[in-house]
CSV table of all heavy atoms in Angstrom, one decimal:
chain,number,residue,atom,x,y,z
A,1,THR,N,0.8,-1.2,0.0
A,1,THR,CA,-0.1,0.0,-0.1
A,1,THR,C,0.9,1.3,0.1
A,1,THR,O,0.4,2.3,0.5
A,1,THR,CB,-1.0,0.1,1.2
A,1,THR,OG1,-0.4,0.2,2.5
A,1,THR,CG2,-2.0,-1.2,1.1
A,2,SER,N,2.0,1.3,-0.5
A,2,SER,CA,2.8,2.4,-0.7
A,2,SER,C,2.5,3.1,-2.2
A,2,SER,O,3.2,2.9,-3.1
A,2,SER,CB,4.3,2.1,-0.7
A,2,SER,OG,4.7,1.7,0.6
A,3,TYR,N,1.2,3.5,-2.2
A,3,TYR,CA,0.7,3.9,-3.5
A,3,TYR,C,1.4,4.9,-4.2
A,3,TYR,O,1.5,4.8,-5.5
A,3,TYR,CB,-0.9,4.3,-3.1
A,3,TYR,CG,-1.7,3.2,-2.7
A,3,TYR,CD1,-2.7,3.5,-1.7
A,3,TYR,CD2,-1.6,2.0,-3.2
A,3,TYR,CE1,-3.4,2.4,-1.3
A,3,TYR,CE2,-2.2,0.8,-2.6
A,3,TYR,CZ,-3.3,1.1,-1.7
A,3,TYR,OH,-4.0,0.1,-1.2
A,4,ASN,N,1.9,6.0,-3.6
A,4,ASN,CA,2.5,7.1,-4.3
A,4,ASN,C,3.8,6.4,-5.0
A,4,ASN,O,4.2,6.8,-6.2
A,4,ASN,CB,2.9,8.2,-3.4
A,4,ASN,CG,1.8,9.0,-3.0
A,4,ASN,OD1,0.8,9.0,-3.7
A,4,ASN,ND2,1.8,9.6,-1.9
A,5,ASP,N,4.5,5.5,-4.2
A,5,ASP,CA,5.8,4.9,-4.9
A,5,ASP,C,5.4,4.1,-6.0
A,5,ASP,O,6.0,4.0,-7.0
A,5,ASP,CB,6.5,4.2,-3.8
A,5,ASP,CG,7.2,5.1,-2.7
A,5,ASP,OD1,7.6,6.0,-3.1
A,5,ASP,OD2,7.1,4.5,-1.6
A,6,ALA,N,4.3,3.4,-5.9
A,6,ALA,CA,3.7,2.5,-6.9
A,6,ALA,C,3.5,3.3,-8.2
A,6,ALA,O,3.8,2.9,-9.3
A,6,ALA,CB,2.5,1.7,-6.6
A,7,ILE,N,2.8,4.4,-8.0
A,7,ILE,CA,2.3,5.3,-9.1
A,7,ILE,C,3.6,5.8,-9.8
A,7,ILE,O,3.7,5.8,-11.1
A,7,ILE,CB,1.6,6.4,-8.7
A,7,ILE,CG1,0.1,5.9,-8.3
A,7,ILE,CG2,1.4,7.6,-9.7
A,7,ILE,CD1,-0.8,7.0,-7.6
A,8,ASN,N,4.6,6.1,-9.1
A,8,ASN,CA,5.8,6.6,-9.7
A,8,ASN,C,6.6,5.5,-10.5
A,8,ASN,O,7.1,5.8,-11.6
A,8,ASN,CB,6.8,7.1,-8.5
A,8,ASN,CG,6.3,8.4,-7.9
A,8,ASN,OD1,5.7,9.2,-8.5
A,8,ASN,ND2,6.8,8.6,-6.7
A,9,ASP,N,6.6,4.3,-10.0
A,9,ASP,CA,7.2,3.2,-10.8
A,9,ASP,C,6.4,2.9,-11.9
A,9,ASP,O,7.0,2.7,-13.1
A,9,ASP,CB,7.3,2.0,-9.9
A,9,ASP,CG,8.7,2.1,-9.1
A,9,ASP,OD1,9.4,3.0,-9.2
A,9,ASP,OD2,9.0,1.1,-8.3
A,10,PHE,N,5.1,2.8,-11.8
A,10,PHE,CA,4.3,2.5,-13.1
A,10,PHE,C,4.4,3.6,-14.1
A,10,PHE,O,4.5,3.4,-15.3
A,10,PHE,CB,2.9,2.3,-12.8
A,10,PHE,CG,2.6,1.1,-12.0
A,10,PHE,CD1,1.7,1.1,-10.9
A,10,PHE,CD2,3.1,-0.1,-12.2
A,10,PHE,CE1,1.5,0.0,-10.0
A,10,PHE,CE2,3.0,-1.2,-11.6
A,10,PHE,CZ,2.1,-1.2,-10.3
A,11,SER,N,4.5,4.8,-13.7
A,11,SER,CA,4.8,6.0,-14.6
A,11,SER,C,6.0,5.9,-15.3
A,11,SER,O,6.3,6.2,-16.5
A,11,SER,CB,4.5,7.2,-13.8
A,11,SER,OG,3.3,7.4,-13.3
A,12,GLU,N,7.1,5.4,-14.6
A,12,GLU,CA,8.4,5.3,-15.1
A,12,GLU,C,8.4,4.2,-16.1
A,12,GLU,O,9.0,4.4,-17.2
A,12,GLU,CB,9.4,5.0,-14.0
A,12,GLU,CG,10.9,5.1,-14.5
A,12,GLU,CD,11.3,6.6,-14.9
A,12,GLU,OE1,10.7,7.6,-14.3
A,12,GLU,OE2,12.1,6.7,-15.8
A,13,ALA,N,7.7,3.1,-15.8
A,13,ALA,CA,7.7,2.0,-16.8
A,13,ALA,C,7.0,2.5,-18.1
A,13,ALA,O,7.4,2.0,-19.2
A,13,ALA,CB,6.9,0.9,-16.2
A,14,ILE,N,5.9,3.3,-17.9
A,14,ILE,CA,5.2,3.8,-19.1
A,14,ILE,C,6.1,4.7,-19.9
A,14,ILE,O,6.1,4.7,-21.1
A,14,ILE,CB,4.0,4.6,-18.8
A,14,ILE,CG1,3.0,3.4,-18.2
A,14,ILE,CG2,3.3,5.4,-19.9
A,14,ILE,CD1,1.8,4.1,-17.4
A,15,LYS,N,7.0,5.6,-19.3
A,15,LYS,CA,8.0,6.3,-20.0
A,15,LYS,C,8.9,5.6,-20.9
A,15,LYS,O,9.3,5.9,-22.0
A,15,LYS,CB,8.7,7.3,-19.0
A,15,LYS,CG,7.8,8.4,-18.3
A,15,LYS,CD,8.7,9.1,-17.4
A,15,LYS,CE,8.0,10.2,-16.7
A,15,LYS,NZ,8.8,10.9,-15.6
A,16,LEU,N,9.3,4.5,-20.3
A,16,LEU,CA,10.2,3.5,-20.9
A,16,LEU,C,9.6,2.9,-22.1
A,16,LEU,O,10.4,2.4,-23.1
A,16,LEU,CB,11.0,2.7,-20.1
A,16,LEU,CG,11.9,3.4,-18.9
A,16,LEU,CD1,12.2,2.4,-17.8
A,16,LEU,CD2,13.1,3.9,-19.6
A,17,ASN,N,8.4,2.5,-21.9
A,17,ASN,CA,7.6,1.7,-22.9
A,17,ASN,C,6.1,2.4,-23.0
A,17,ASN,O,5.2,2.0,-22.2
A,17,ASN,CB,7.4,0.3,-22.6
A,17,ASN,CG,6.6,-0.6,-23.5
A,17,ASN,OD1,6.2,-0.1,-24.5
A,17,ASN,ND2,6.5,-1.9,-23.1
A,18,LEU,N,6.1,3.2,-24.0
A,18,LEU,CA,4.7,4.0,-24.1
A,18,LEU,C,3.6,3.0,-24.4
A,18,LEU,O,2.4,3.5,-24.3
A,18,LEU,CB,4.9,5.0,-25.2
A,18,LEU,CG,5.9,6.1,-25.0
A,18,LEU,CD1,5.9,7.0,-26.1
A,18,LEU,CD2,5.5,6.9,-23.6
A,19,LYS,N,3.8,1.9,-24.8
A,19,LYS,CA,2.6,0.9,-25.1
A,19,LYS,C,2.5,-0.2,-24.1
A,19,LYS,O,1.9,-1.3,-24.3
A,19,LYS,CB,3.0,0.2,-26.4
A,19,LYS,CG,3.0,1.2,-27.7
A,19,LYS,CD,3.0,0.5,-28.9
A,19,LYS,CE,3.1,1.4,-30.2
A,19,LYS,NZ,3.2,0.8,-31.5
A,20,TYR,N,2.9,0.1,-22.8
A,20,TYR,CA,2.9,-0.9,-21.8
A,20,TYR,C,1.4,-0.8,-21.1
A,20,TYR,O,1.1,-0.2,-20.1
A,20,TYR,CB,3.9,-0.3,-20.7
A,20,TYR,CG,4.4,-1.5,-19.8
A,20,TYR,CD1,5.6,-1.4,-19.2
A,20,TYR,CD2,3.7,-2.7,-19.6
A,20,TYR,CE1,6.2,-2.3,-18.5
A,20,TYR,CE2,4.2,-3.7,-18.8
A,20,TYR,CZ,5.5,-3.6,-18.3
A,20,TYR,OH,5.9,-4.4,-17.4
A,21,ALA,N,0.5,-1.7,-21.7
A,21,ALA,CA,-0.8,-1.7,-21.3
A,21,ALA,C,-1.0,-2.1,-19.9
A,21,ALA,O,-1.8,-1.5,-19.1
A,21,ALA,CB,-1.6,-2.6,-22.3
A,22,GLU,N,-0.3,-3.1,-19.5
A,22,GLU,CA,-0.5,-3.7,-18.2
A,22,GLU,C,0.1,-2.4,-17.1
A,22,GLU,O,-0.5,-2.6,-16.0
A,22,GLU,CB,0.5,-4.9,-17.9
A,22,GLU,CG,-0.1,-6.1,-18.8
A,22,GLU,CD,0.4,-6.1,-20.2
A,22,GLU,OE1,1.1,-5.2,-20.6
A,22,GLU,OE2,-0.1,-6.9,-21.0
A,23,SER,N,1.0,-1.8,-17.4
A,23,SER,CA,1.4,-0.8,-16.5
A,23,SER,C,0.3,0.3,-16.3
A,23,SER,O,0.1,0.9,-15.2
A,23,SER,CB,2.7,-0.2,-16.9
A,23,SER,OG,3.5,0.5,-15.8
A,24,TYR,N,-0.3,0.7,-17.4
A,24,TYR,CA,-1.4,1.6,-17.3
A,24,TYR,C,-2.6,1.0,-16.4
A,24,TYR,O,-3.2,1.7,-15.5
A,24,TYR,CB,-2.1,1.9,-18.7
A,24,TYR,CG,-1.4,3.1,-19.4
A,24,TYR,CD1,-0.5,2.8,-20.4
A,24,TYR,CD2,-1.5,4.4,-19.1
A,24,TYR,CE1,0.1,3.8,-21.3
A,24,TYR,CE2,-0.9,5.5,-19.7
A,24,TYR,CZ,-0.1,5.2,-20.8
A,24,TYR,OH,0.5,6.2,-21.5
A,25,ALA,N,-2.8,-0.3,-16.7
A,25,ALA,CA,-3.9,-0.9,-15.9
A,25,ALA,C,-3.6,-0.9,-14.5
A,25,ALA,O,-4.3,-0.7,-13.6
A,25,ALA,CB,-4.2,-2.4,-16.4
A,26,ALA,N,-2.3,-1.2,-14.1
A,26,ALA,CA,-1.9,-1.3,-12.7
A,26,ALA,C,-1.8,0.1,-12.1
A,26,ALA,O,-2.4,0.1,-10.9
A,26,ALA,CB,-0.4,-1.9,-12.7
A,27,ARG,N,-1.4,1.1,-12.9
A,27,ARG,CA,-1.6,2.5,-12.2
A,27,ARG,C,-3.0,2.9,-12.0
A,27,ARG,O,-3.3,3.5,-10.9
A,27,ARG,CB,-0.8,3.4,-13.1
A,27,ARG,CG,-0.5,4.7,-12.4
A,27,ARG,CD,0.3,5.6,-13.4
A,27,ARG,NE,-0.5,6.1,-14.6
A,27,ARG,CZ,0.0,6.9,-15.4
A,27,ARG,NH1,1.2,7.4,-15.3
A,27,ARG,NH2,-0.8,7.2,-16.5
A,28,GLY,N,-3.8,2.4,-12.9
A,28,GLY,CA,-5.4,2.7,-12.6
A,28,GLY,C,-5.9,2.0,-11.4
A,28,GLY,O,-6.6,2.6,-10.7
A,29,ASN,N,-5.3,0.8,-11.1
A,29,ASN,CA,-5.7,0.2,-9.8
A,29,ASN,C,-5.3,1.0,-8.6
A,29,ASN,O,-6.1,1.2,-7.6
A,29,ASN,CB,-5.1,-1.1,-9.8
A,29,ASN,CG,-5.6,-2.2,-10.7
A,29,ASN,OD1,-6.7,-1.9,-11.4
A,29,ASN,ND2,-4.9,-3.3,-10.8
A,30,VAL,N,-4.1,1.6,-8.8
A,30,VAL,CA,-3.5,2.4,-7.6
A,30,VAL,C,-4.3,3.7,-7.4
A,30,VAL,O,-4.7,4.0,-6.2
A,30,VAL,CB,-2.0,2.6,-7.8
A,30,VAL,CG1,-1.5,3.4,-6.5
A,30,VAL,CG2,-1.2,1.4,-7.8
A,31,TYR,N,-4.7,4.3,-8.6
A,31,TYR,CA,-5.4,5.5,-8.4
A,31,TYR,C,-6.8,5.2,-7.8
A,31,TYR,O,-7.2,5.9,-7.0
A,31,TYR,CB,-5.7,6.1,-9.9
A,31,TYR,CG,-4.5,7.0,-10.4
A,31,TYR,CD1,-3.8,6.7,-11.6
A,31,TYR,CD2,-4.0,7.9,-9.5
A,31,TYR,CE1,-2.8,7.5,-12.0
A,31,TYR,CE2,-3.0,8.8,-10.0
A,31,TYR,CZ,-2.4,8.6,-11.2
A,31,TYR,OH,-1.3,9.4,-11.6
A,32,TYR,N,-7.4,4.1,-8.2
A,32,TYR,CA,-8.6,3.7,-7.6
A,32,TYR,C,-8.5,3.5,-6.0
A,32,TYR,O,-9.3,4.0,-5.2
A,32,TYR,CB,-9.1,2.4,-8.2
A,32,TYR,CG,-10.5,2.0,-7.5
A,32,TYR,CD1,-11.7,2.5,-7.9
A,32,TYR,CD2,-10.5,1.0,-6.4
A,32,TYR,CE1,-12.9,2.1,-7.3
A,32,TYR,CE2,-11.8,0.6,-5.8
A,32,TYR,CZ,-12.7,1.2,-6.2
A,32,TYR,OH,-14.0,0.8,-5.6
A,33,CYS,N,-7.5,2.7,-5.6
A,33,CYS,CA,-7.2,2.6,-4.2
A,33,CYS,C,-7.0,4.0,-3.4
A,33,CYS,O,-7.3,4.0,-2.3
A,33,CYS,CB,-6.0,1.7,-4.0
A,33,CYS,SG,-6.2,0.0,-4.5
A,34,LYS,N,-6.5,4.9,-4.2
A,34,LYS,CA,-6.3,6.3,-3.6
A,34,LYS,C,-7.6,7.1,-3.8
A,34,LYS,O,-7.7,8.2,-3.1
A,34,LYS,CB,-5.1,6.9,-4.3
A,34,LYS,CG,-3.9,6.5,-3.9
A,34,LYS,CD,-2.7,7.2,-4.8
A,34,LYS,CE,-2.7,8.7,-4.5
A,34,LYS,NZ,-2.2,9.1,-3.3
């Protein structure tokens, strides 16, 4: 539940791979939890 850190990491993954669908979905989960 370190949600801000999770968002930062998923965002970094997306920067490295703009087509990273799973990372968008995972970040969406964290935003929901927040």
Side-chain angles (χ1 to χ4, degrees):
T1 67
S2 298
Y3 295 140
N4 290 335
D5 290 326
I7 288 172
N8 289 338
D9 272 3
F10 293 135
S11 297
E12 192 63 33
I14 290 167
K15 289 179 184 178
L16 294 168
N17 180 0
L18 297 177
K19 295 184 178 180
Y20 207 156
E22 292 82 3
S23 203
Y24 275 108
R27 193 174 68 178
N29 292 351
V30 182
Y31 276 130
Y32 177 86
C33 291
K34 285 173 61 68

